[in-house]
Amino acid sequence: MRAEQHDRPEQTEQPSQADPTTATGATAEADPDPGATTAETATATAGRRPPRTRKFPEGPAPDPAGSHFERRIRSFQPRRSRVTPGQADALRRLWPLWGFDIDGQRTLDPAAMFEGRPVVLEIGFGMGEATAQMAAADPDTGILAVDVHTPGQGNLLGLAERAGLRNLRVANGDAIILLRAMLPPASLDGLRVYFPDPWPKKRHHKRRLIQPEFLSLAAGVLKPGALLHCATDWEPYAEQMLEVLTAHPDYANTLPDGGYAPRPAFRPLTRFEGQGMDKGHRVHDLLFCRVEQ
């Protein structure tokens, strides 16, 4: 997800152009860590990643899946920005209560995690304002929010505490691993992917999240009738989303005549989105349901 869009990066990694749901070894196309030193890059290239410091001992891990999963081509670009004292305090106090790392080493029980509520997965939440608004407006739905942006994780935890939210959990790491290795079949009632990174250059299109292989992976953990909701303001990506969703046998457009949907009331209009609309940008919402085979 673009760093500026909703102040959040894209949240999920994809392994290869052919199949983003299966791990592959490092390739020449895999981007080096933009924050790594020359020595670190050389070490990673040699197949030996240097250890990353855990800034918050009881908070999100820098690389939660570790060596259990091979390096893959990323569909997101992690950002490194300063964690404020308030965000750091929220991470120290609240992460053990409401946060967890995506390590791929255990199977979750979403229904138990949210005390029997229906559960919606949100991939990419940035600073968390929109996510907190949706959780507050619908306390009977559990929101499992995934991101890799540490300041955003701390900010969302702080927002949840101040609003008294009990239907929100924050996950740190690769959402592909979460979908593939940690969620039981038919355990989710919805999936939200708002403003993922469009990767506008043609040679980077393989990094886009919404592709047939990802949709097949997601279909395995979505209940029949679950809502898949995507939104983007990048016209070519919206067209690709509509094409692959329409063609996929596991999904059906909620609009009888097909096409894009009006923005549903439950998706907040963010400040960045409003600024874009003032400049003439058009936002496309896509609402598809998981069909029963």
Side-chain angles (χ1 to χ4, degrees), residues 206-292:
K206 60 182 170 290
R207 299 175 184 270
R208 289 177 173 176
L209 178 61
I210 306 302
Q211 301 195 54
E213 296 80 9
F214 170 79
L215 296 176
S216 295
L217 177 63
V221 299
L222 290 172
K223 298 177 182 178
L227 186 67
L228 171 60
H229 182 195
C230 301
T232 181
D233 67 342
W234 193 262
E235 187 82 27
Y237 197 9
E239 293 170 355
Q240 176 186 325
M241 289 180 179
L242 183 60
E243 179 181 355
V244 298
L245 278 164
T246 301
H248 202 289
D250 291 330
Y251 300 90
N253 199 323
T254 60
L255 273 67
D257 297 331
Y260 305 110
R263 178 178 66 87
F266 65 80
R267 183 176 74 77
L269 181 67
T270 67
R271 182 180 67 246
F272 183 87
E273 184 179 355
Q275 292 172 349
M277 293 173 67
D278 290 341
K279 298 176 182 177
H281 297 180
R282 183 181 178 187
V283 175
H284 297 281
D285 283 81
L286 300 96
L287 294 171
F288 280 71
C289 67
R290 171 72 165 94
V291 299
E292 188 167 6

Side-chain angles (χ1 to χ4, degrees), residues 14 31 62 135 139 163 189 267:
Q14 289 186 229
D31 291 337
D189 296 86
R267 183 176 74 77

Side-chain angles (χ1 to χ4, degrees), residues 8-232:
R8 59 191 182 187
E10 171 59 34
Q11 178 34 233
T12 306
E13 297 182 359
Q14 289 186 229
S16 69
Q17 185 173 5
D19 186 355
T21 67
T22 56
T24 63
T27 70
E29 294 179 84
D31 291 337
D33 186 337
T37 64
T38 302
E40 289 172 336
T41 302
T43 303
T45 303
R48 294 176 286 108
R49 284 190 173 188
R52 297 177 65 184
T53 303
R54 191 176 187 122
K55 187 172 182 179
F56 302 97
E58 296 183 357
D63 185 13
S67 61
H68 302 298
F69 296 87
E70 294 86 350
R71 187 181 185 190
R72 293 168 293 146
I73 295 175
R74 289 177 171 176
S75 68
F76 68 92
Q77 188 77 330
R79 292 175 296 135
R80 288 158 178 78
S81 55
R82 179 176 175 271
V83 177
T84 68
Q87 294 162 359
D89 177 66
L91 286 167
R92 293 188 183 98
R93 293 186 301 103
L94 303 175
W95 186 262
L97 300 175
W98 299 334
F100 68 92
D101 287 320
I102 300 172
D103 57 12
Q105 301 301 298
R106 56 195 172 113
T107 301
L108 303 175
D109 185 346
M113 184 183 298
F114 290 97
E115 301 177 332
R117 296 179 177 92
V119 180
V120 172
L121 173 65
E122 182 180 3
I123 299 179
F125 58 79
M127 296 308 291
E129 290 93 345
T131 303
Q133 289 181 52
M134 289 186 288
D138 187 9
D140 293 329
T141 295
I143 298 180
L144 177 54
V146 182
D147 211 305
V148 294
H149 187 47
T150 307
Q153 293 165 348
N155 196 62
L156 179 54
L157 288 170
L159 291 171
E161 181 182 47
R162 289 191 291 275
L165 303 178
R166 294 296 180 267
N167 60 326
L168 188 59
R169 299 293 182 270
V170 180
N172 169 59
D174 179 1
I176 289 290
I177 295 175
L178 177 68
L179 290 168
R180 191 177 67 198
M182 298 181 69
L183 291 175
S187 58
L188 296 180
D189 296 86
L191 174 60
R192 296 167 180 170
V193 184
Y194 297 155
F195 302 95
D197 195 319
W199 293 103
K201 294 181 180 179
K202 186 175 181 179
R203 64 189 177 94
H204 289 156
H205 285 183
K206 60 182 170 290
R207 299 175 184 270
R208 289 177 173 176
L209 178 61
I210 306 302
Q211 301 195 54
E213 296 80 9
F214 170 79
L215 296 176
S216 295
L217 177 63
V221 299
L222 290 172
K223 298 177 182 178
L227 186 67
L228 171 60
H229 182 195
C230 301
T232 181

